[in-house]
Amino acid sequence: MRKFLLGTAIVVFAAGAVLVPNKAQAWWRGGGGFFYGPPVFVGPPVIYVPGPVYVPGPVYAPPPPQYAPAGQACYAGAYVCPLDQPTPAGGPCSCPTNQGRAYGRAQ
């Protein structure tokens, strides 16, 4: 019985020595897992500030051209007729006659 107790004591002591946790290892121990080598540290992403942006000024639009006043009627010698399309005053125009057309100026 003494041998049994001695053997049991040795087994319990050996198991206790194996199962005692080691102290924490807080330093790098040469890698582990799938990757072996020195540790890789990645810094924060680099943020670039956009440079100055050229903003063009307002688009210059010249003032509208001054149109000549539109004529109201065509004066073609003895004939006077209303204009069927806008024509500037003093512009060429024509009036229908019995013999064709009479040419004159819009007024």
Coordinates of all heavy atoms in Angstrom, one line a residue:
M1 N 0.8 -1.2 0.0 CA 0.0 0.0 0.0 C 0.9 1.3 0.0 O 0.4 2.3 -0.6 CB -0.9 -0.1 1.2 CG -1.7 1.1 1.4 SD -3.2 0.8 0.5 CE -4.4 1.5 1.4
R2 N 1.9 1.2 0.6 CA 2.9 2.3 0.7 C 3.4 2.6 -0.7 O 3.5 3.8 -1.0 CB 4.0 1.9 1.6 CG 4.6 3.0 2.3 CD 5.5 2.4 3.2 NE 5.8 3.5 4.2 CZ 6.7 3.5 5.1 NH1 7.4 2.4 5.2 NH2 6.8 4.4 5.9
K3 N 3.6 1.6 -1.5 CA 4.1 1.8 -2.9 C 3.0 2.5 -3.7 O 3.3 3.4 -4.5 CB 4.5 0.5 -3.5 CG 5.8 0.0 -3.0 CD 6.2 -1.2 -3.8 CE 7.5 -1.8 -3.2 NZ 8.0 -2.9 -4.0
F4 N 1.8 2.1 -3.4 CA 0.7 2.7 -4.2 C 0.5 4.2 -3.8 O 0.4 5.0 -4.7 CB -0.6 1.9 -3.9 CG -1.8 2.6 -4.5 CD1 -2.0 2.4 -5.9 CD2 -2.7 3.3 -3.8 CE1 -3.1 3.0 -6.5 CE2 -3.8 3.9 -4.4 CZ -4.0 3.7 -5.8
L5 N 0.6 4.5 -2.6 CA 0.5 5.9 -2.2 C 1.7 6.7 -2.7 O 1.5 7.9 -3.1 CB 0.4 6.0 -0.7 CG -0.9 5.6 -0.1 CD1 -0.8 5.6 1.4 CD2 -2.0 6.4 -0.6
L6 N 2.9 6.1 -2.7 CA 4.1 6.8 -3.2 C 3.9 7.0 -4.7 O 4.2 8.1 -5.2 CB 5.3 6.0 -2.8 CG 6.7 6.7 -3.2 CD1 6.9 8.0 -2.5 CD2 7.8 5.7 -2.9
G7 N 3.5 6.1 -5.4 CA 3.3 6.2 -6.9 C 2.2 7.2 -7.2 O 2.4 8.0 -8.1
T8 N 1.2 7.2 -6.4 CA 0.1 8.2 -6.6 C 0.6 9.6 -6.3 O 0.3 10.6 -7.1 CB -1.1 7.9 -5.7 OG1 -1.5 6.5 -6.0 CG2 -2.3 8.8 -6.0
A9 N 1.4 9.8 -5.3 CA 1.9 11.1 -4.9 C 2.9 11.6 -6.0 O 2.8 12.8 -6.4 CB 2.6 11.0 -3.6
I10 N 3.7 10.7 -6.6 CA 4.6 11.1 -7.7 C 3.8 11.5 -8.9 O 4.1 12.5 -9.6 CB 5.6 10.0 -8.0 CG1 6.5 9.8 -6.8 CG2 6.3 10.3 -9.3 CD1 7.4 8.6 -6.9
V11 N 2.7 10.8 -9.3 CA 1.9 11.1 -10.4 C 1.2 12.4 -10.2 O 1.1 13.3 -11.1 CB 0.9 10.0 -10.7 CG1 -0.1 10.4 -11.8 CG2 1.6 8.7 -11.2
V12 N 0.6 12.7 -9.1 CA -0.1 13.9 -8.8 C 0.9 15.1 -8.8 O 0.6 16.2 -9.3 CB -0.8 13.8 -7.4 CG1 -1.3 15.2 -6.9 CG2 -1.9 12.8 -7.5
F13 N 2.1 14.9 -8.2 CA 3.1 16.0 -8.2 C 3.6 16.3 -9.7 O 3.7 17.4 -10.1 CB 4.3 15.6 -7.4 CG 5.4 16.6 -7.4 CD1 5.2 17.8 -6.7 CD2 6.6 16.4 -8.1 CE1 6.2 18.8 -6.6 CE2 7.5 17.4 -8.1 CZ 7.4 18.6 -7.4
A14 N 3.8 15.2 -10.5 CA 4.2 15.5 -11.9 C 3.1 16.1 -12.7 O 3.4 17.1 -13.5 CB 4.6 14.1 -12.5
A15 N 1.9 15.7 -12.5 CA 0.7 16.3 -13.2 C 0.6 17.8 -12.8 O 0.3 18.7 -13.6 CB -0.5 15.5 -12.9
G16 N 0.8 18.1 -11.5 CA 0.7 19.4 -11.0 C 1.8 20.3 -11.6 O 1.5 21.5 -11.9
A17 N 3.0 19.8 -11.7 CA 4.1 20.5 -12.3 C 3.8 20.8 -13.8 O 4.2 21.9 -14.2 CB 5.4 19.8 -12.1
V18 N 3.2 19.9 -14.5 CA 2.9 20.1 -15.9 C 1.8 21.1 -16.1 O 1.8 21.9 -17.0 CB 2.7 18.8 -16.6 CG1 2.2 19.0 -18.0 CG2 3.9 17.9 -16.6
L19 N 0.8 21.0 -15.2 CA -0.4 21.8 -15.4 C -0.3 23.2 -14.8 O -1.2 24.0 -15.0 CB -1.6 21.1 -14.8 CG -2.0 19.8 -15.5 CD1 -3.2 19.1 -14.7 CD2 -2.4 20.0 -16.9
V20 N 0.8 23.5 -14.1 CA 0.9 24.9 -13.5 C 1.2 25.8 -14.7 O 2.0 25.6 -15.5 CB 2.1 24.9 -12.5 CG1 2.5 26.3 -12.1 CG2 1.9 24.0 -11.3
P21 N 0.4 26.9 -14.8 CA 0.5 27.8 -15.9 C 1.8 28.6 -15.8 O 2.3 28.9 -14.7 CB -0.7 28.7 -15.7 CG -1.1 28.7 -14.3 CD -0.7 27.3 -13.9
N22 N 2.4 28.9 -16.9 CA 3.6 29.8 -16.9 C 3.2 31.2 -16.7 O 2.1 31.6 -17.0 CB 4.3 29.6 -18.3 CG 4.9 28.2 -18.5 OD1 5.2 27.5 -17.5 ND2 5.0 27.8 -19.7
K23 N 4.2 32.0 -16.4 CA 3.8 33.5 -16.3 C 3.7 34.0 -17.7 O 4.1 33.5 -18.7 CB 5.0 34.2 -15.5 CG 6.3 34.1 -16.2 CD 7.3 34.8 -15.3 CE 8.7 34.6 -15.9 NZ 9.7 35.3 -15.2
A24 N 2.9 35.1 -17.8 CA 2.6 35.7 -19.1 C 3.9 36.2 -19.8 O 4.8 36.8 -19.2 CB 1.7 36.9 -18.9
Q25 N 3.9 35.9 -21.1 CA 5.0 36.3 -21.9 C 4.6 37.5 -22.7 O 3.8 37.4 -23.6 CB 5.4 35.1 -22.9 CG 5.7 33.8 -22.2 CD 7.0 33.9 -21.4 OE1 7.9 34.6 -21.7 NE2 7.0 33.2 -20.3
A26 N 5.1 38.7 -22.3 CA 4.7 39.9 -22.9 C 5.6 40.4 -24.0 O 5.5 41.6 -24.5 CB 4.5 41.0 -21.9
W27 N 6.6 39.6 -24.4 CA 7.5 40.1 -25.5 C 7.3 39.2 -26.7 O 6.7 38.1 -26.6 CB 9.0 40.1 -25.0 CG 9.4 38.7 -24.5 CD1 10.0 37.8 -25.3 CD2 9.4 38.3 -23.2 NE1 10.3 36.7 -24.5 CE2 10.0 37.0 -23.2 CE3 9.0 38.8 -21.9 CZ2 10.1 36.2 -22.1 CZ3 9.2 38.0 -20.8 CH2 9.7 36.7 -20.9
W28 N 7.9 39.7 -27.8 CA 7.7 38.9 -29.0 C 8.6 37.7 -29.0 O 9.8 37.7 -28.6 CB 8.1 39.8 -30.2 CG 8.1 39.2 -31.5 CD1 7.0 38.7 -32.1 CD2 9.2 39.0 -32.4 NE1 7.3 38.2 -33.3 CE2 8.6 38.3 -33.5 CE3 10.5 39.3 -32.4 CZ2 9.4 38.0 -34.6 CZ3 11.3 39.0 -33.5 CH2 10.7 38.3 -34.6
R29 N 8.0 36.6 -29.4 CA 8.7 35.3 -29.3 C 9.1 34.7 -30.6 O 9.2 33.5 -30.7 CB 7.9 34.3 -28.4 CG 7.6 35.0 -27.1 CD 7.4 34.0 -26.1 NE 8.7 33.2 -25.9 CZ 8.8 32.2 -25.1 NH1 7.8 31.8 -24.4 NH2 9.9 31.6 -25.0
G30 N 9.1 35.5 -31.7 CA 9.5 35.0 -33.0 C 8.4 34.6 -33.9 O 8.6 33.8 -34.8
G31 N 7.2 35.0 -33.7 CA 6.1 34.7 -34.6 C 5.3 33.6 -34.1 O 5.4 33.1 -33.0
G32 N 4.3 33.2 -34.9 CA 3.5 32.1 -34.5 C 2.3 32.1 -35.5 O 2.1 33.0 -36.3
G33 N 1.5 31.0 -35.4 CA 0.4 30.9 -36.3 C 0.9 30.6 -37.7 O 1.8 29.8 -37.9
F34 N 0.4 31.3 -38.7 CA 0.8 31.0 -40.1 C 1.9 31.9 -40.6 O 2.6 31.5 -41.5 CB -0.4 31.3 -41.1 CG -1.5 30.3 -40.8 CD1 -2.7 30.7 -40.2 CD2 -1.4 29.0 -41.2 CE1 -3.8 29.9 -40.1 CE2 -2.5 28.1 -41.0 CZ -3.6 28.6 -40.5
F35 N 2.2 33.0 -39.9 CA 3.2 33.9 -40.3 C 4.4 33.9 -39.4 O 4.2 34.1 -38.2 CB 2.6 35.3 -40.4 CG 1.4 35.4 -41.3 CD1 0.1 35.5 -40.8 CD2 1.6 35.4 -42.7 CE1 -1.0 35.6 -41.6 CE2 0.5 35.5 -43.5 CZ -0.8 35.6 -43.0
Y36 N 5.5 33.8 -39.9 CA 6.7 33.8 -39.1 C 7.6 34.9 -39.6 O 7.8 35.1 -40.8 CB 7.5 32.5 -39.2 CG 6.8 31.3 -38.6 CD1 6.0 30.5 -39.3 CD2 6.9 31.1 -37.2 CE1 5.3 29.4 -38.7 CE2 6.2 30.1 -36.6 CZ 5.4 29.2 -37.4 OH 4.7 28.2 -36.8
G37 N 8.1 35.7 -38.7 CA 8.9 36.8 -39.0 C 8.7 38.0 -38.1 O 7.9 37.8 -37.1
P38 N 9.3 39.1 -38.3 CA 9.1 40.2 -37.4 C 7.7 40.8 -37.5 O 7.0 40.6 -38.5 CB 10.1 41.3 -37.9 CG 10.3 40.9 -39.4 CD 10.1 39.4 -39.5
P39 N 7.2 41.4 -36.4 CA 5.9 41.9 -36.5 C 5.8 43.1 -37.4 O 6.7 43.8 -37.6 CB 5.6 42.4 -35.0 CG 7.0 42.6 -34.5 CD 7.9 41.6 -35.2
V40 N 4.6 43.3 -38.0 CA 4.4 44.4 -38.9 C 3.4 45.3 -38.3 O 2.3 44.9 -37.9 CB 3.8 43.8 -40.3 CG1 3.5 45.0 -41.2 CG2 4.8 42.9 -40.9
F41 N 3.8 46.6 -38.2 CA 2.9 47.6 -37.6 C 2.4 48.5 -38.8 O 3.2 49.0 -39.5 CB 3.6 48.4 -36.6 CG 4.1 47.6 -35.4 CD1 5.4 47.2 -35.3 CD2 3.2 47.2 -34.4 CE1 5.8 46.4 -34.2 CE2 3.6 46.5 -33.4 CZ 4.9 46.1 -33.3
V42 N 1.1 48.7 -38.8 CA 0.5 49.6 -39.9 C 0.0 50.8 -39.2 O -0.7 50.8 -38.2 CB -0.6 48.8 -40.6 CG1 -1.3 49.7 -41.6 CG2 -0.2 47.5 -41.2
G43 N 0.5 52.0 -39.7 CA 0.1 53.2 -39.1 C -1.3 53.7 -39.6 O -1.9 53.0 -40.4
P44 N -1.8 54.8 -39.1 CA -3.1 55.3 -39.6 C -3.1 55.7 -41.0 O -2.0 56.0 -41.6 CB -3.3 56.5 -38.6 CG -2.0 56.9 -38.3 CD -1.1 55.7 -38.2
P45 N -4.2 55.7 -41.7 CA -4.2 56.1 -43.1 C -3.8 57.6 -43.2 O -4.1 58.4 -42.4 CB -5.7 55.9 -43.5 CG -6.4 56.0 -42.3 CD -5.5 55.4 -41.2
V46 N -3.1 57.9 -44.3 CA -2.7 59.2 -44.6 C -3.8 60.0 -45.2 O -4.4 59.5 -46.2 CB -1.5 59.2 -45.5 CG1 -1.0 60.7 -45.9 CG2 -0.3 58.5 -44.9
I47 N -4.1 61.2 -44.7 CA -5.2 62.0 -45.2 C -4.6 63.2 -45.9 O -3.9 64.0 -45.2 CB -6.2 62.4 -44.1 CG1 -6.8 61.1 -43.5 CG2 -7.3 63.3 -44.7 CD1 -7.7 61.4 -42.3
Y48 N -4.8 63.3 -47.2 CA -4.3 64.5 -47.9 C -5.4 65.6 -47.9 O -6.5 65.4 -48.3 CB -4.0 64.1 -49.3 CG -2.8 63.1 -49.4 CD1 -3.0 61.8 -49.6 CD2 -1.5 63.6 -49.2 CE1 -1.9 60.9 -49.7 CE2 -0.4 62.7 -49.3 CZ -0.7 61.4 -49.5 OH 0.4 60.5 -49.6
V49 N -4.9 66.8 -47.6 CA -5.8 67.9 -47.6 C -5.9 68.4 -49.1 O -4.8 68.6 -49.7 CB -5.3 69.1 -46.7 CG1 -6.2 70.3 -46.8 CG2 -5.2 68.6 -45.3
P50 N -7.0 68.6 -49.7 CA -7.1 69.1 -51.1 C -6.5 70.4 -51.2 O -6.6 71.3 -50.3 CB -8.6 69.1 -51.4 CG -9.3 69.1 -50.1 CD -8.3 68.4 -49.1
G51 N -5.8 70.7 -52.3 CA -5.2 71.9 -52.6 C -6.2 73.0 -52.9 O -7.4 72.8 -52.9
P52 N -5.7 74.2 -53.2 CA -6.7 75.3 -53.5 C -7.3 75.0 -54.9 O -6.7 74.4 -55.8 CB -5.7 76.5 -53.6 CG -4.4 76.0 -53.8 CD -4.3 74.6 -53.2
V53 N -8.6 75.4 -55.0 CA -9.3 75.1 -56.2 C -9.6 76.5 -56.8 O -10.1 77.4 -56.2 CB -10.7 74.4 -55.8 CG1 -11.5 74.2 -57.0 CG2 -10.4 73.1 -55.1
Y54 N -9.4 76.6 -58.1 CA -9.7 77.8 -58.9 C -11.2 77.8 -59.2 O -11.7 76.9 -59.8 CB -8.9 77.8 -60.2 CG -9.3 79.0 -61.1 CD1 -9.0 80.3 -60.7 CD2 -10.0 78.7 -62.2 CE1 -9.4 81.3 -61.5 CE2 -10.4 79.8 -63.0 CZ -10.1 81.1 -62.7 OH -10.5 82.1 -63.5
V55 N -11.9 78.8 -58.8 CA -13.3 79.0 -59.1 C -13.4 80.2 -60.0 O -13.1 81.3 -59.6 CB -14.1 79.2 -57.8 CG1 -15.6 79.4 -58.1 CG2 -13.9 78.1 -56.8
P56 N -13.8 79.9 -61.3 CA -13.9 81.0 -62.2 C -15.0 82.0 -61.7 O -16.0 81.6 -61.1 CB -14.3 80.4 -63.5 CG -14.9 79.1 -63.1 CD -14.2 78.7 -61.8
G57 N -14.8 83.3 -62.1 CA -15.8 84.3 -61.8 C -17.0 84.1 -62.6 O -17.2 83.2 -63.4
P58 N -17.9 85.0 -62.4 CA -19.2 85.0 -63.2 C -18.9 85.1 -64.7 O -18.0 85.9 -65.1 CB -20.0 86.1 -62.6 CG -19.1 87.0 -62.0 CD -17.9 86.2 -61.5
V59 N -19.7 84.5 -65.5 CA -19.5 84.6 -66.9 C -20.0 85.9 -67.4 O -21.1 86.4 -67.0 CB -20.3 83.4 -67.6 CG1 -20.2 83.6 -69.1 CG2 -19.8 82.1 -67.1
Y60 N -19.1 86.6 -68.2 CA -19.5 87.9 -68.7 C -20.4 87.8 -69.9 O -20.0 87.1 -70.8 CB -18.2 88.7 -69.0 CG -18.5 90.0 -69.7 CD1 -19.0 91.1 -69.0 CD2 -18.3 90.1 -71.1 CE1 -19.3 92.3 -69.7 CE2 -18.6 91.3 -71.8 CZ -19.1 92.4 -71.0 OH -19.4 93.5 -71.7
A61 N -21.5 88.4 -69.9 CA -22.4 88.4 -71.0 C -22.6 89.8 -71.4 O -23.0 90.7 -70.6 CB -23.7 87.8 -70.6
P62 N -22.2 90.1 -72.7 CA -22.4 91.5 -73.1 C -23.9 91.9 -73.2 O -24.7 91.0 -73.3 CB -21.8 91.5 -74.5 CG -21.8 90.1 -74.9 CD -21.7 89.3 -73.7
P63 N -24.2 93.1 -73.0 CA -25.6 93.5 -73.1 C -26.2 93.2 -74.5 O -25.4 93.1 -75.5 CB -25.6 95.0 -72.9 CG -24.2 95.5 -73.2 CD -23.3 94.3 -72.9
P64 N -27.5 92.9 -74.6 CA -28.0 92.6 -75.9 C -27.9 93.7 -76.8 O -27.9 94.9 -76.4 CB -29.5 92.3 -75.5 CG -29.8 92.9 -74.2 CD -28.5 93.0 -73.5
P65 N -27.8 93.4 -78.1 CA -27.7 94.5 -79.1 C -28.9 95.3 -79.1 O -30.0 94.8 -78.9 CB -27.4 93.8 -80.4 CG -27.9 92.4 -80.2 CD -27.8 92.1 -78.7
Q66 N -28.8 96.5 -79.5 CA -30.0 97.4 -79.6 C -30.6 97.2 -81.0 O -29.9 97.4 -82.0 CB -29.6 98.9 -79.4 CG -29.0 99.2 -78.0 CD -30.0 98.9 -76.9 OE1 -31.2 99.1 -77.1 NE2 -29.6 98.4 -75.8
Y67 N -31.7 96.6 -81.0 CA -32.4 96.4 -82.3 C -33.1 97.7 -82.8 O -33.6 98.5 -82.0 CB -33.4 95.3 -82.1 CG -32.8 93.9 -81.8 CD1 -32.9 93.4 -80.5 CD2 -32.2 93.2 -82.7 CE1 -32.4 92.2 -80.2 CE2 -31.6 92.0 -82.4 CZ -31.7 91.5 -81.2 OH -31.1 90.3 -80.9
A68 N -33.0 97.8 -84.1 CA -33.7 98.9 -84.7 C -35.2 98.7 -84.5 O -35.7 97.5 -84.5 CB -33.4 99.0 -86.1
P69 N -36.0 99.7 -84.4 CA -37.4 99.5 -84.2 C -38.0 98.9 -85.5 O -37.6 99.1 -86.6 CB -38.0 100.9 -84.0 CG -36.9 101.9 -84.5 CD -35.6 101.1 -84.3
A70 N -39.0 98.0 -85.2 CA -39.5 97.3 -86.4 C -40.5 98.2 -87.1 O -41.2 99.0 -86.6 CB -40.3 96.0 -85.9
G71 N -40.4 98.0 -88.4 CA -41.4 98.8 -89.3 C -42.8 98.2 -89.2 O -42.9 97.0 -88.9
Q72 N -43.8 99.0 -89.4 CA -45.1 98.6 -89.3 C -45.8 98.3 -90.7 O -46.6 97.5 -90.9 CB -46.0 99.6 -88.6 CG -45.5 99.9 -87.2 CD -45.7 98.7 -86.3 OE1 -46.8 98.1 -86.3 NE2 -44.8 98.4 -85.4
A73 N -45.3 99.1 -91.7 CA -45.9 99.0 -93.0 C -44.8 99.1 -94.1 O -43.7 99.7 -93.8 CB -47.0 100.0 -93.2
C74 N -45.1 98.6 -95.3 CA -44.1 98.8 -96.4 C -44.7 99.9 -97.3 O -45.8 99.8 -97.8 CB -44.1 97.4 -97.1 SG -42.9 97.5 -98.5
Y75 N -43.8 100.8 -97.5 CA -44.2 101.9 -98.5 C -43.4 101.7 -99.8 O -42.2 101.9 -99.8 CB -43.8 103.3 -97.8 CG -44.7 103.6 -96.6 CD1 -44.3 103.3 -95.4 CD2 -45.8 104.3 -96.8 CE1 -45.1 103.6 -94.3 CE2 -46.6 104.6 -95.7 CZ -46.2 104.2 -94.4 OH -47.0 104.5 -93.4
A76 N -44.2 101.3 -100.8 CA -43.6 101.0 -102.1 C -44.3 101.9 -103.2 O -45.1 101.5 -103.9 CB -43.8 99.5 -102.5
G77 N -43.8 103.1 -103.2 CA -44.4 104.1 -104.2 C -45.8 104.4 -103.9 O -46.2 104.8 -102.8
A78 N -46.7 104.0 -104.8 CA -48.1 104.3 -104.7 C -48.8 103.2 -103.8 O -49.9 103.3 -103.4 CB -48.8 104.3 -106.0
Y79 N -48.1 102.2 -103.4 CA -48.6 101.1 -102.7 C -48.2 101.1 -101.2 O -47.0 101.3 -101.0 CB -48.3 99.7 -103.3 CG -48.8 99.6 -104.7 CD1 -47.9 99.8 -105.8 CD2 -50.1 99.2 -105.0 CE1 -48.3 99.7 -107.1 CE2 -50.5 99.1 -106.3 CZ -49.6 99.3 -107.3 OH -50.1 99.2 -108.6
V80 N -49.1 100.8 -100.3 CA -48.7 100.7 -98.9 C -49.4 99.5 -98.4 O -50.6 99.3 -98.6 CB -49.3 101.9 -98.1 CG1 -49.0 101.7 -96.6 CG2 -48.6 103.2 -98.6
C81 N -48.6 98.6 -97.8 CA -49.2 97.3 -97.3 C -48.6 97.0 -95.9 O -47.5 97.4 -95.6 CB -49.0 96.2 -98.3 SG -47.2 95.8 -98.6
P82 N -49.3 96.2 -95.1 CA -48.8 95.8 -93.8 C -47.7 94.7 -94.0 O -47.7 94.0 -95.0 CB -50.0 95.2 -93.1 CG -50.9 94.8 -94.1 CD -50.7 95.7 -95.3
L83 N -46.7 94.7 -93.1 CA -45.6 93.7 -93.2 C -46.1 92.4 -92.7 O -46.8 92.3 -91.7 CB -44.4 94.2 -92.4 CG -43.7 95.4 -92.9 CD1 -42.7 95.9 -91.9 CD2 -43.1 95.1 -94.3
D84 N -45.8 91.3 -93.4 CA -46.2 89.9 -93.0 C -45.1 89.3 -92.1 O -45.4 88.3 -91.5 CB -46.5 89.0 -94.2 CG -45.6 89.2 -95.3 OD1 -44.9 90.2 -95.4 OD2 -45.5 88.3 -96.2
Q85 N -43.9 89.9 -92.0 CA -42.9 89.4 -91.1 C -42.1 90.6 -90.5 O -42.1 91.6 -91.2 CB -41.9 88.4 -91.8 CG -41.2 89.0 -93.0 CD -40.3 87.9 -93.7 OE1 -40.4 86.8 -93.3 NE2 -39.6 88.4 -94.6
P86 N -41.6 90.5 -89.3 CA -40.9 91.7 -88.8 C -39.7 92.1 -89.6 O -38.9 91.3 -90.1 CB -40.4 91.2 -87.4 CG -41.1 89.9 -87.1 CD -41.5 89.4 -88.4
T87 N -39.6 93.4 -89.9 CA -38.6 94.0 -90.7 C -38.1 95.2 -90.0 O -39.0 96.0 -89.6 CB -39.1 94.3 -92.1 OG1 -39.6 93.1 -92.7 CG2 -37.9 94.8 -93.0
P88 N -36.8 95.5 -89.9 CA -36.4 96.7 -89.3 C -36.8 97.9 -90.1 O -36.9 97.8 -91.3 CB -34.9 96.6 -89.2 CG -34.5 95.4 -90.0 CD -35.7 94.6 -90.3
A89 N -37.0 99.0 -89.4 CA -37.4 100.2 -90.1 C -36.3 100.6 -91.1 O -35.1 100.6 -90.8 CB -37.6 101.4 -89.1
G90 N -36.7 100.9 -92.3 CA -35.8 101.3 -93.4 C -35.3 100.1 -94.2 O -34.5 100.2 -95.2
G91 N -35.7 98.9 -93.8 CA -35.3 97.7 -94.5 C -36.1 97.5 -95.8 O -37.2 98.0 -95.9
P92 N -35.6 96.7 -96.7 CA -36.3 96.5 -98.0 C -37.5 95.6 -97.7 O -37.5 94.7 -96.9 CB -35.3 95.8 -98.9 CG -34.3 95.1 -97.9 CD -34.3 96.0 -96.7
C93 N -38.6 95.9 -98.5 CA -39.8 95.1 -98.4 C -40.5 95.2 -99.8 O -40.1 95.9 -100.7 CB -40.7 95.6 -97.3 SG -41.2 97.3 -97.5
S94 N -41.6 94.5 -99.9 CA -42.3 94.5 -101.2 C -43.8 94.4 -100.9 O -44.2 93.8 -99.9 CB -41.9 93.4 -102.1 OG -42.2 92.2 -101.6
C95 N -44.6 95.0 -101.8 CA -46.1 94.9 -101.7 C -46.6 94.2 -102.9 O -46.1 94.4 -104.0 CB -46.7 96.3 -101.6 SG -46.4 97.1 -100.0
P96 N -47.7 93.4 -102.8 CA -48.2 92.8 -104.0 C -49.1 93.8 -104.8 O -49.7 94.6 -104.2 CB -49.2 91.7 -103.4 CG -49.5 92.1 -102.0 CD -48.3 92.9 -101.5
T97 N -49.0 93.7 -106.1 CA -49.7 94.5 -107.0 C -50.4 93.7 -108.0 O -50.2 92.5 -108.1 CB -48.8 95.6 -107.7 OG1 -47.9 94.8 -108.5 CG2 -48.0 96.4 -106.7
N98 N -51.2 94.3 -108.9 CA -51.8 93.6 -110.0 C -50.8 93.1 -111.0 O -51.1 92.1 -111.7 CB -52.9 94.4 -110.6 CG -54.1 94.7 -109.7 OD1 -54.3 94.0 -108.8 ND2 -54.8 95.8 -109.9
Q99 N -49.7 93.7 -111.2 CA -48.7 93.4 -112.2 C -47.5 92.6 -111.5 O -46.5 92.4 -112.2 CB -48.2 94.6 -112.9 CG -49.1 95.3 -113.8 CD -50.0 96.3 -113.1 OE1 -49.7 96.7 -112.0 NE2 -51.1 96.6 -113.7
G100 N -47.5 92.2 -110.3 CA -46.4 91.5 -109.6 C -46.2 92.1 -108.3 O -47.1 92.2 -107.5
R101 N -45.0 92.6 -108.0 CA -44.7 93.1 -106.7 C -44.0 94.5 -106.9 O -43.3 94.7 -107.8 CB -43.7 92.2 -106.0 CG -44.3 90.8 -105.7 CD -43.6 90.0 -104.7 NE -43.8 90.5 -103.3 CZ -44.8 90.2 -102.5 NH1 -45.9 89.6 -103.0 NH2 -44.8 90.6 -101.3
A102 N -44.3 95.4 -105.9 CA -43.7 96.7 -105.9 C -42.8 96.7 -104.7 O -43.1 96.3 -103.6 CB -44.8 97.8 -105.8
Y103 N -41.5 97.1 -104.9 CA -40.5 97.1 -103.9 C -40.4 98.5 -103.3 O -40.4 99.5 -103.9 CB -39.2 96.6 -104.4 CG -39.3 95.2 -104.9 CD1 -39.5 94.9 -106.3 CD2 -39.1 94.2 -104.0 CE1 -39.6 93.6 -106.7 CE2 -39.3 92.8 -104.4 CZ -39.5 92.6 -105.8 OH -39.6 91.3 -106.2
G104 N -40.1 98.5 -101.9 CA -40.0 99.8 -101.2 C -39.3 99.6 -99.9 O -38.4 98.6 -99.8
R105 N -39.5 100.5 -99.0 CA -38.9 100.4 -97.7 C -39.9 100.4 -96.5 O -41.0 101.0 -96.6 CB -38.0 101.7 -97.5 CG -36.9 101.9 -98.4 CD -35.7 101.1 -98.0 NE -34.7 101.1 -99.0 CZ -33.7 100.3 -99.0 NH1 -33.6 99.4 -98.1 NH2 -32.8 100.4 -99.9
A106 N -39.5 99.7 -95.5 CA -40.4 99.6 -94.3 C -40.3 100.8 -93.5 O -39.2 101.4 -93.3 CB -40.0 98.3 -93.5
Q107 N -41.4 101.2 -92.9 CA -41.4 102.4 -92.0 C -42.3 102.2 -90.9 O -43.3 101.5 -90.9 CB -41.8 103.7 -92.8 CG -40.8 104.1 -93.8 CD -41.2 105.4 -94.5 OE1 -42.2 106.0 -94.2 NE2 -40.4 105.8 -95.4

